Amino acid sequence: MKRTLITGITGQDGSYLAEFLLQKGYKVYGLKRRTSTESYENIKHIQKEIEFISGDLADLSSLIHAVKLSKPDEVYNLGAQSFVADSWSQPVYTAEVTALGALNMLEAIKEVKQDARFYQASSSEMFGKVVETPQKETTPFYPRSPYGVAKVYGHWITVNYRESYNLFACSGILFNHESPRRGIQFVTRKVTDAAARIKLGLQTELRLGNLDAKRDWGFAGDYVKAMWLMLQQEKPDDFVVATGKTHTVRDLVETAFDHVGLKWEDYVVQDPAFMRPAEVDLLLGDPKKAKRRLGWEPKVSFGDLIKMMVDHDLKKYGQTS
Ligand code: NAP
Ligand code: G4F
Protein backbone atom coordinates (compact mmCIF):
# COMPACT_ATOMS: atom_id res chain seq x y z
CA MET A 1 0.00 0.00 0.00
CA LYS A 2 1.48 3.38 -1.06
CA ARG A 3 1.54 6.14 1.55
CA THR A 4 0.95 9.83 0.92
CA LEU A 5 1.12 13.02 2.96
CA ILE A 6 -1.07 15.90 1.77
CA THR A 7 -0.76 19.46 3.08
CA GLY A 8 -3.86 21.61 2.51
CA ILE A 9 -6.09 18.53 2.87
CA THR A 10 -9.11 20.60 4.00
CA GLY A 11 -8.95 22.85 0.91
CA GLN A 12 -10.57 22.39 -2.48
CA ASP A 13 -7.70 20.50 -4.14
CA GLY A 14 -6.73 18.57 -1.01
CA SER A 15 -10.23 17.11 -0.83
CA TYR A 16 -10.33 15.99 -4.49
CA LEU A 17 -6.79 14.62 -4.32
CA ALA A 18 -7.47 12.68 -1.11
CA GLU A 19 -10.59 11.17 -2.71
CA PHE A 20 -8.59 10.23 -5.83
CA LEU A 21 -5.72 8.64 -3.88
CA LEU A 22 -8.03 6.74 -1.52
CA GLN A 23 -9.73 5.26 -4.59
CA LYS A 24 -6.30 4.17 -5.81
CA GLY A 25 -5.72 2.37 -2.52
CA TYR A 26 -3.28 4.82 -0.91
CA LYS A 27 -2.96 5.28 2.84
CA VAL A 28 -3.67 9.02 3.16
CA TYR A 29 -2.18 11.26 5.86
CA GLY A 30 -3.35 14.88 5.99
CA LEU A 31 -1.54 17.76 7.63
CA LYS A 32 -4.17 19.73 9.54
CA ARG A 33 -3.48 23.02 11.27
CA ARG A 34 -5.13 23.82 14.56
CA THR A 35 -8.12 26.15 14.23
CA SER A 36 -10.55 27.31 16.91
CA THR A 37 -13.45 26.00 14.86
CA GLU A 38 -12.74 22.74 13.04
CA SER A 39 -13.50 22.89 9.30
CA TYR A 40 -13.89 19.52 7.60
CA GLU A 41 -16.64 20.63 5.18
CA ASN A 42 -14.83 19.51 1.99
CA ILE A 43 -13.69 16.17 3.36
CA LYS A 44 -16.49 15.15 5.70
CA HIS A 45 -17.45 12.23 3.41
CA ILE A 46 -13.91 10.73 3.62
CA GLN A 47 -12.84 12.05 7.03
CA LYS A 48 -12.78 8.61 8.67
CA GLU A 49 -10.44 7.24 6.00
CA ILE A 50 -7.79 9.94 6.50
CA GLU A 51 -5.20 9.99 9.27
CA PHE A 52 -4.73 13.60 10.37
CA ILE A 53 -1.44 14.95 11.66
CA SER A 54 -1.42 18.28 13.44
CA GLY A 55 1.03 20.76 11.93
CA ASP A 56 1.64 24.04 10.15
CA LEU A 57 3.73 24.86 7.07
CA ALA A 58 5.37 27.70 8.99
CA ASP A 59 6.66 25.25 11.63
CA LEU A 60 9.48 23.04 10.31
CA SER A 61 9.48 20.86 13.42
CA SER A 62 5.84 19.92 12.83
CA LEU A 63 6.64 18.92 9.23
CA ILE A 64 9.59 16.78 10.33
CA HIS A 65 7.26 15.08 12.78
CA ALA A 66 4.63 14.59 10.03
CA VAL A 67 7.15 12.99 7.64
CA LYS A 68 8.53 10.71 10.39
CA LEU A 69 5.04 9.57 11.29
CA SER A 70 3.61 9.11 7.79
CA LYS A 71 6.76 7.76 6.04
CA PRO A 72 5.29 8.93 2.72
CA ASP A 73 6.08 7.65 -0.76
CA GLU A 74 4.53 10.85 -2.11
CA VAL A 75 4.09 14.32 -0.58
CA TYR A 76 1.67 16.83 -2.13
CA ASN A 77 2.26 20.37 -0.88
CA LEU A 78 -1.11 22.03 -1.48
CA GLY A 79 -1.23 24.14 1.71
CA ALA A 80 -0.94 27.91 1.23
CA GLN A 81 -2.39 31.32 1.95
CA SER A 82 -4.03 30.98 -1.45
CA PHE A 83 -6.21 34.08 -1.78
CA VAL A 84 -4.42 36.62 -3.99
CA ALA A 85 -6.38 39.68 -2.79
CA ASP A 86 -5.45 39.09 0.87
CA SER A 87 -1.76 38.80 0.01
CA TRP A 88 -1.52 42.61 -0.14
CA SER A 89 -2.89 43.00 3.39
CA GLN A 90 -0.90 39.99 4.73
CA PRO A 91 2.31 39.94 2.65
CA VAL A 92 4.62 38.67 5.40
CA TYR A 93 2.27 35.88 6.45
CA THR A 94 1.78 34.94 2.78
CA ALA A 95 5.56 34.71 2.32
CA GLU A 96 5.96 32.62 5.48
CA VAL A 97 3.33 30.06 4.52
CA THR A 98 3.22 30.09 0.72
CA ALA A 99 6.96 30.61 0.03
CA LEU A 100 8.85 29.37 3.10
CA GLY A 101 6.26 26.64 3.70
CA ALA A 102 7.46 24.95 0.50
CA LEU A 103 11.07 25.22 1.70
CA ASN A 104 10.14 23.79 5.11
CA MET A 105 8.40 20.82 3.46
CA LEU A 106 11.41 20.16 1.21
CA GLU A 107 13.78 20.39 4.20
CA ALA A 108 11.68 17.89 6.15
CA ILE A 109 11.84 15.46 3.20
CA LYS A 110 15.59 16.00 2.72
CA GLU A 111 16.28 15.34 6.40
CA VAL A 112 13.87 12.45 7.00
CA LYS A 113 12.88 10.68 3.78
CA GLN A 114 14.89 11.58 0.69
CA ASP A 115 13.18 9.04 -1.56
CA ALA A 116 9.72 10.59 -1.05
CA ARG A 117 8.38 12.11 -4.27
CA PHE A 118 7.34 15.75 -3.88
CA TYR A 119 4.66 17.82 -5.65
CA GLN A 120 4.64 21.62 -5.31
CA ALA A 121 1.43 23.54 -6.08
CA SER A 122 2.83 26.24 -8.34
CA SER A 123 0.48 28.72 -9.97
CA SER A 124 -0.28 30.55 -13.20
CA GLU A 125 -0.31 33.66 -10.99
CA MET A 126 3.52 33.49 -11.38
CA PHE A 127 3.09 34.61 -15.02
CA GLY A 128 1.31 37.76 -13.79
CA LYS A 129 1.88 40.54 -16.31
CA VAL A 130 2.37 37.98 -19.03
CA VAL A 131 5.31 38.28 -21.40
CA GLU A 132 3.89 35.77 -23.91
CA THR A 133 0.55 34.15 -24.72
CA PRO A 134 -0.28 31.35 -24.31
CA GLN A 135 1.86 30.74 -21.22
CA LYS A 136 3.92 27.54 -21.14
CA GLU A 137 6.65 25.95 -18.99
CA THR A 138 9.36 28.17 -20.53
CA THR A 139 7.47 31.46 -20.24
CA PRO A 140 9.35 33.86 -17.89
CA PHE A 141 7.60 34.78 -14.64
CA TYR A 142 6.43 38.34 -13.85
CA PRO A 143 4.35 38.04 -10.66
CA ARG A 144 1.93 40.86 -9.83
CA SER A 145 0.99 40.13 -6.21
CA PRO A 146 2.79 39.17 -2.97
CA TYR A 147 1.10 35.78 -3.46
CA GLY A 148 2.56 35.47 -6.97
CA VAL A 149 6.01 36.40 -5.70
CA ALA A 150 5.73 33.81 -2.91
CA LYS A 151 4.73 31.12 -5.43
CA VAL A 152 7.75 31.99 -7.60
CA TYR A 153 9.96 31.31 -4.56
CA GLY A 154 8.17 27.99 -3.92
CA HIS A 155 8.62 27.06 -7.56
CA TRP A 156 12.34 27.80 -7.77
CA ILE A 157 13.21 26.27 -4.40
CA THR A 158 11.55 23.07 -5.66
CA VAL A 159 13.70 23.16 -8.83
CA ASN A 160 16.75 23.95 -6.69
CA TYR A 161 16.23 21.02 -4.28
CA ARG A 162 15.74 18.71 -7.27
CA GLU A 163 19.04 19.88 -8.76
CA SER A 164 20.99 20.22 -5.47
CA TYR A 165 19.90 17.07 -3.63
CA ASN A 166 18.53 14.92 -6.44
CA LEU A 167 15.05 14.88 -4.88
CA PHE A 168 12.17 13.68 -7.05
CA ALA A 169 10.48 17.10 -6.89
CA CYS A 170 7.95 18.42 -9.43
CA SER A 171 6.02 21.65 -9.81
CA GLY A 172 2.59 21.73 -11.37
CA ILE A 173 1.94 25.20 -12.79
CA LEU A 174 -1.83 25.02 -12.49
CA PHE A 175 -4.14 27.60 -14.01
CA ASN A 176 -7.35 28.53 -12.15
CA HIS A 177 -9.45 25.51 -11.29
CA GLU A 178 -12.80 25.56 -9.57
CA SER A 179 -15.58 23.35 -8.24
CA PRO A 180 -18.52 23.35 -5.84
CA ARG A 181 -15.84 23.08 -3.10
CA ARG A 182 -14.17 26.36 -4.11
CA GLY A 183 -13.83 28.92 -1.29
CA ILE A 184 -16.57 31.57 -1.33
CA GLN A 185 -14.10 34.49 -1.71
CA PHE A 186 -12.87 33.36 -5.15
CA VAL A 187 -14.72 34.96 -8.04
CA THR A 188 -16.33 31.85 -9.59
CA ARG A 189 -17.89 30.68 -6.35
CA LYS A 190 -18.81 34.21 -5.31
CA VAL A 191 -20.72 34.55 -8.60
CA THR A 192 -22.41 31.11 -8.63
CA ASP A 193 -23.42 31.48 -4.98
CA ALA A 194 -24.87 34.95 -5.66
CA ALA A 195 -26.73 33.80 -8.80
CA ALA A 196 -28.38 31.05 -6.73
CA ARG A 197 -29.21 33.37 -3.81
CA ILE A 198 -30.62 36.10 -6.07
CA LYS A 199 -32.74 33.53 -7.92
CA LEU A 200 -34.14 32.32 -4.59
CA GLY A 201 -34.79 35.87 -3.33
CA LEU A 202 -32.08 35.70 -0.64
CA GLN A 203 -29.88 38.48 -2.08
CA THR A 204 -30.54 41.55 -4.24
CA GLU A 205 -27.17 42.48 -5.80
CA LEU A 206 -23.66 41.22 -6.47
CA ARG A 207 -20.68 43.55 -5.96
CA LEU A 208 -17.61 42.72 -8.05
CA GLY A 209 -14.30 44.25 -9.09
CA ASN A 210 -12.67 43.97 -12.53
CA LEU A 211 -15.03 42.33 -15.05
CA ASP A 212 -12.47 42.42 -17.87
CA ALA A 213 -9.87 40.09 -16.28
CA LYS A 214 -9.44 36.87 -18.26
CA ARG A 215 -8.77 33.47 -16.74
CA ASP A 216 -8.22 29.94 -18.01
CA TRP A 217 -10.74 28.13 -15.78
CA GLY A 218 -10.89 24.33 -15.42
CA PHE A 219 -12.42 21.77 -13.04
CA ALA A 220 -10.43 20.91 -9.89
CA GLY A 221 -11.45 17.23 -10.08
CA ASP A 222 -9.65 16.98 -13.45
CA TYR A 223 -6.54 18.83 -12.23
CA VAL A 224 -5.66 16.63 -9.23
CA LYS A 225 -5.18 13.71 -11.61
CA ALA A 226 -2.41 15.70 -13.35
CA MET A 227 -0.67 16.17 -9.97
CA TRP A 228 -0.60 12.43 -9.41
CA LEU A 229 0.54 11.68 -12.97
CA MET A 230 3.56 13.98 -12.51
CA LEU A 231 4.76 11.85 -9.59
CA GLN A 232 4.37 8.60 -11.58
CA GLN A 233 6.88 9.58 -14.31
CA GLU A 234 10.42 8.22 -14.61
CA LYS A 235 11.99 11.64 -14.09
CA PRO A 236 10.81 14.70 -12.16
CA ASP A 237 9.76 17.72 -14.24
CA ASP A 238 7.45 20.76 -14.26
CA PHE A 239 4.17 20.98 -16.17
CA VAL A 240 1.57 23.59 -17.09
CA VAL A 241 -1.95 22.31 -16.40
CA ALA A 242 -4.68 24.34 -18.13
CA THR A 243 -7.60 24.08 -20.57
CA GLY A 244 -6.11 26.28 -23.31
CA LYS A 245 -9.24 28.48 -23.30
CA THR A 246 -9.79 31.83 -21.62
CA HIS A 247 -12.90 33.75 -20.52
CA THR A 248 -13.56 37.13 -18.92
CA VAL A 249 -15.15 37.57 -15.49
CA ARG A 250 -18.04 39.11 -17.47
CA ASP A 251 -18.46 35.81 -19.44
CA LEU A 252 -18.51 33.97 -16.12
CA VAL A 253 -21.23 36.22 -14.69
CA GLU A 254 -23.30 35.94 -17.87
CA THR A 255 -23.05 32.13 -17.93
CA ALA A 256 -24.08 31.81 -14.27
CA PHE A 257 -27.01 34.25 -14.45
CA ASP A 258 -28.24 32.84 -17.80
CA HIS A 259 -28.38 29.43 -16.16
CA VAL A 260 -30.90 30.69 -13.58
CA GLY A 261 -32.83 32.71 -16.18
CA LEU A 262 -31.74 36.18 -14.97
CA LYS A 263 -30.15 39.17 -16.74
CA TRP A 264 -26.85 39.81 -14.98
CA GLU A 265 -26.84 43.56 -15.77
CA ASP A 266 -29.84 43.97 -13.45
CA TYR A 267 -27.90 42.74 -10.40
CA VAL A 268 -24.13 43.25 -10.79
CA VAL A 269 -22.58 46.41 -9.32
CA GLN A 270 -18.93 47.28 -9.88
CA ASP A 271 -17.26 48.13 -6.59
CA PRO A 272 -13.73 49.63 -6.34
CA ALA A 273 -13.29 47.73 -3.04
CA PHE A 274 -12.76 44.55 -5.09
CA MET A 275 -10.20 46.05 -7.49
CA ARG A 276 -6.58 44.95 -6.92
CA PRO A 277 -3.50 47.22 -6.59
CA ALA A 278 -1.97 45.34 -9.54
CA GLU A 279 -4.07 43.07 -11.76
CA VAL A 280 -3.29 39.98 -13.80
CA ASP A 281 -5.21 40.85 -16.97
CA LEU A 282 -4.92 37.68 -19.02
CA LEU A 283 -4.11 34.07 -18.28
CA LEU A 284 -4.22 31.43 -21.01
CA GLY A 285 -2.26 28.22 -20.58
CA ASP A 286 -0.71 25.89 -23.13
CA PRO A 287 -1.21 22.34 -21.78
CA LYS A 288 0.51 20.56 -24.71
CA LYS A 289 3.40 19.20 -22.64
CA ALA A 290 0.99 17.70 -20.07
CA LYS A 291 -0.99 16.07 -22.87
CA ARG A 292 2.12 14.71 -24.62
CA ARG A 293 4.05 13.47 -21.59
CA LEU A 294 1.34 12.70 -19.02
CA GLY A 295 -1.54 11.83 -21.36
CA TRP A 296 -3.57 14.39 -19.39
CA GLU A 297 -6.53 16.31 -20.77
CA PRO A 298 -9.28 18.33 -19.08
CA LYS A 299 -12.74 16.75 -19.29
CA VAL A 300 -15.13 19.44 -17.98
CA SER A 301 -15.80 22.53 -20.14
CA PHE A 302 -16.11 26.09 -18.77
CA GLY A 303 -19.88 26.19 -19.35
CA ASP A 304 -20.48 22.82 -17.67
CA LEU A 305 -18.24 23.81 -14.75
CA ILE A 306 -20.17 27.01 -14.02
CA LYS A 307 -23.51 25.23 -14.37
CA MET A 308 -22.31 22.47 -12.02
CA MET A 309 -21.41 25.13 -9.41
CA VAL A 310 -24.69 27.06 -9.79
CA ASP A 311 -26.72 23.84 -9.51
CA HIS A 312 -24.82 22.89 -6.37
CA ASP A 313 -25.48 26.31 -4.80
CA LEU A 314 -29.18 26.28 -5.78
CA LYS A 315 -29.55 22.88 -4.12
CA LYS A 316 -27.72 24.05 -1.01
CA TYR A 317 -30.03 27.05 -0.48
CA GLY A 318 -33.12 25.32 -1.82
CA GLN A 319 -32.74 22.66 0.82
CA THR A 320 -32.20 24.99 3.75
CA SER A 321 -34.42 27.99 2.98
P1 NAP B 1 -7.57 26.36 -0.67
O1 NAP B 1 -8.91 25.74 -0.92
O2 NAP B 1 -7.50 27.78 -0.24
O3 NAP B 1 -6.82 25.45 0.42
C1 NAP B 1 -5.68 25.88 1.06
C2 NAP B 1 -5.29 24.85 2.11
O4 NAP B 1 -4.08 25.29 2.76
C3 NAP B 1 -6.34 24.67 3.23
O5 NAP B 1 -6.44 23.29 3.54
C4 NAP B 1 -5.72 25.43 4.39
O6 NAP B 1 -6.11 24.92 5.66
C5 NAP B 1 -4.25 25.13 4.15
N1 NAP B 1 -3.36 26.03 4.87
C6 NAP B 1 -3.43 27.40 4.93
N2 NAP B 1 -2.44 27.88 5.71
C7 NAP B 1 -1.74 26.81 6.16
C8 NAP B 1 -0.64 26.65 7.03
N3 NAP B 1 -0.03 27.71 7.59
N4 NAP B 1 -0.17 25.41 7.29
C9 NAP B 1 -0.78 24.32 6.73
N5 NAP B 1 -1.84 24.41 5.91
C10 NAP B 1 -2.32 25.63 5.64
O7 NAP B 1 -6.64 26.21 -1.97
P2 NAP B 1 -6.82 25.28 -3.26
O8 NAP B 1 -7.64 26.02 -4.26
O9 NAP B 1 -7.21 23.92 -2.83
O10 NAP B 1 -5.34 25.28 -3.83
C11 NAP B 1 -4.39 24.30 -3.41
C12 NAP B 1 -2.99 24.82 -3.69
O11 NAP B 1 -2.84 25.09 -5.09
C13 NAP B 1 -2.64 26.14 -3.00
O12 NAP B 1 -1.27 26.09 -2.69
C14 NAP B 1 -2.90 27.19 -4.05
O13 NAP B 1 -2.11 28.33 -3.79
C15 NAP B 1 -2.46 26.44 -5.29
N6 NAP B 1 -3.12 26.81 -6.55
C16 NAP B 1 -4.46 26.85 -6.64
C17 NAP B 1 -5.06 27.14 -7.85
C18 NAP B 1 -6.56 27.18 -7.99
O14 NAP B 1 -7.03 27.74 -8.99
N7 NAP B 1 -7.31 26.61 -7.08
C19 NAP B 1 -4.27 27.38 -8.99
C20 NAP B 1 -2.88 27.30 -8.86
C21 NAP B 1 -2.31 27.00 -7.64
P3 NAP B 1 -7.35 25.55 6.51
O15 NAP B 1 -8.56 24.74 6.11
O16 NAP B 1 -6.91 25.33 7.91
O17 NAP B 1 -7.47 27.00 6.12
O1 G4F C 1 -11.03 34.09 -8.29
P1 G4F C 1 -9.88 34.98 -8.04
O2 G4F C 1 -9.77 35.56 -6.69
O3 G4F C 1 -8.60 34.13 -8.46
P2 G4F C 1 -7.10 34.55 -8.83
O4 G4F C 1 -6.72 35.86 -8.27
O5 G4F C 1 -6.95 34.36 -10.30
O6 G4F C 1 -6.27 33.44 -8.03
C1 G4F C 1 -6.65 32.06 -8.06
O7 G4F C 1 -6.01 31.45 -9.15
C2 G4F C 1 -4.58 31.39 -9.05
C3 G4F C 1 -4.08 30.69 -10.32
O8 G4F C 1 -3.87 31.67 -11.32
C4 G4F C 1 -4.21 30.62 -7.80
F1 G4F C 1 -2.86 30.49 -7.73
C5 G4F C 1 -4.76 31.33 -6.59
O9 G4F C 1 -4.45 30.58 -5.41
C6 G4F C 1 -6.28 31.43 -6.74
O10 G4F C 1 -6.80 30.12 -6.67
O11 G4F C 1 -9.90 36.19 -9.09
C7 G4F C 1 -9.97 35.98 -10.49
C8 G4F C 1 -10.17 37.31 -11.20
C9 G4F C 1 -9.15 38.39 -10.80
O12 G4F C 1 -8.71 39.06 -11.94
C10 G4F C 1 -9.97 39.36 -9.95
O13 G4F C 1 -9.52 40.71 -9.99
O14 G4F C 1 -11.46 37.84 -10.88
C11 G4F C 1 -11.33 39.22 -10.63
N1 G4F C 1 -12.44 39.65 -9.77
C12 G4F C 1 -13.36 40.60 -10.11
N2 G4F C 1 -14.21 40.80 -9.09
C13 G4F C 1 -12.70 39.24 -8.52
C14 G4F C 1 -13.81 39.97 -8.09
N3 G4F C 1 -12.08 38.33 -7.74
C15 G4F C 1 -12.59 38.10 -6.50
N4 G4F C 1 -12.01 37.16 -5.71
N5 G4F C 1 -13.68 38.80 -6.03
C16 G4F C 1 -14.33 39.74 -6.79
O15 G4F C 1 -15.30 40.36 -6.34
Side-chain angles (χ1 to χ4, degrees), residues 44-187:
K44 55 180 186 294
H45 57 298
I46 47 172
Q47 202 177 323
K48 288 201 180 83
E49 297 169 72
I50 298 168
E51 193 147 328
F52 294 98
I53 304 175
S54 181
D56 194 299
L57 283 165
D59 182 343
L60 173 60
S61 62
S62 73
L63 303 184
I64 289 174
H65 170 72
V67 176
K68 278 186 180 161
L69 202 77
S70 57
K71 302 183 191 67
D73 298 295
E74 295 170 11
V75 176
Y76 295 86
N77 184 35
L78 310 184
Q81 189 305 87
S82 71
F83 188 47
V84 172
D86 277 2
S87 73
W88 278 280
S89 55
Q90 300 172 44
V92 176
Y93 175 73
T94 301
E96 279 169 1
V97 176
T98 305
L100 293 182
L103 172 61
N104 285 335
M105 200 64 251
L106 284 159
E107 266 297 302
I109 291 170
K110 173 168 83 66
E111 292 307 312
V112 180
K113 197 164 185 308
Q114 287 219 1
D115 65 344
R117 295 186 169 202
F118 176 76
Y119 173 86
Q120 168 60 14
S122 285
S123 164
S124 51
E125 187 70 14
M126 301 189 302
F127 296 123
K129 191 172 177 186
V130 299
V131 302
E132 68 175 343
T133 297
Q135 296 86 47
K136 48 185 187 280
E137 291 78 5
T138 50
T139 302
F141 300 139
Y142 189 153
R144 291 275 276 174
S145 61
Y147 168 85
V149 174
K151 281 290 180 187
V152 171
Y153 179 87
H155 183 85
W156 280 114
I157 201 67
T158 300
V159 173
N160 182 260
Y161 269 50
R162 178 166 77 213
E163 294 175 356
S164 303
Y165 304 112
N166 205 24
L167 296 188
F168 193 109
C170 303
S171 273
I173 307 175
L174 270 54
F175 283 62
N176 299 51
H177 46 280
E178 320 292 315
S179 73
R181 300 181 197 165
R182 187 57 143 155
I184 193 76
Q185 288 180 305
F186 299 92
V187 76

Side-chain angles (χ1 to χ4, degrees), residues 103-278:
L103 172 61
N104 285 335
M105 200 64 251
L106 284 159
E107 266 297 302
I109 291 170
K110 173 168 83 66
E111 292 307 312
V112 180
K113 197 164 185 308
Q114 287 219 1
D115 65 344
R117 295 186 169 202
F118 176 76
Y119 173 86
Q120 168 60 14
S122 285
S123 164
S124 51
E125 187 70 14
M126 301 189 302
F127 296 123
K129 191 172 177 186
V130 299
V131 302
E132 68 175 343
T133 297
Q135 296 86 47
K136 48 185 187 280
E137 291 78 5
T138 50
T139 302
F141 300 139
Y142 189 153
R144 291 275 276 174
S145 61
Y147 168 85
V149 174
K151 281 290 180 187
V152 171
Y153 179 87
H155 183 85
W156 280 114
I157 201 67
T158 300
V159 173
N160 182 260
Y161 269 50
R162 178 166 77 213
E163 294 175 356
S164 303
Y165 304 112
N166 205 24
L167 296 188
F168 193 109
C170 303
S171 273
I173 307 175
L174 270 54
F175 283 62
N176 299 51
H177 46 280
E178 320 292 315
S179 73
R181 300 181 197 165
R182 187 57 143 155
I184 193 76
Q185 288 180 305
F186 299 92
V187 76
T188 51
R189 192 72 198 291
K190 183 175 171 181
V191 168
T192 62
D193 181 78
R197 287 176 61 85
I198 291 171
K199 178 69 182 175
L200 296 170
L202 300 170
Q203 187 174 324
T204 53
E205 65 172 24
L206 167 60
R207 303 187 85 81
L208 291 174
N210 181 11
L211 301 182
D212 297 319
K214 289 181 156 180
R215 290 292 183 275
D216 180 330
W217 278 297
F219 172 52
D222 288 343
Y223 284 38
V224 297
K225 190 170 176 203
M227 299 176 186
W228 175 77
L229 283 167
M230 285 178 219
L231 297 199
Q232 313 312 310
Q233 303 306 301
E234 251 177 53
K235 286 186 186 156
D237 203 350
D238 308 320
F239 293 88
V240 158
V241 177
T243 70
K245 297 195 176 75
T246 193
H247 297 271
T248 60
V249 172
R250 189 176 285 99
D251 295 335
L252 154 69
V253 172
E254 193 174 357
T255 306
F257 278 73
D258 270 3
H259 190 53
V260 293
L262 297 175
K263 229 177 126 199
W264 70 270
E265 292 94 333
D266 295 340
Y267 304 96
V268 171
V269 179
Q270 271 201 285
D271 184 340
F274 296 106
M275 297 288 190
R276 296 178 178 178

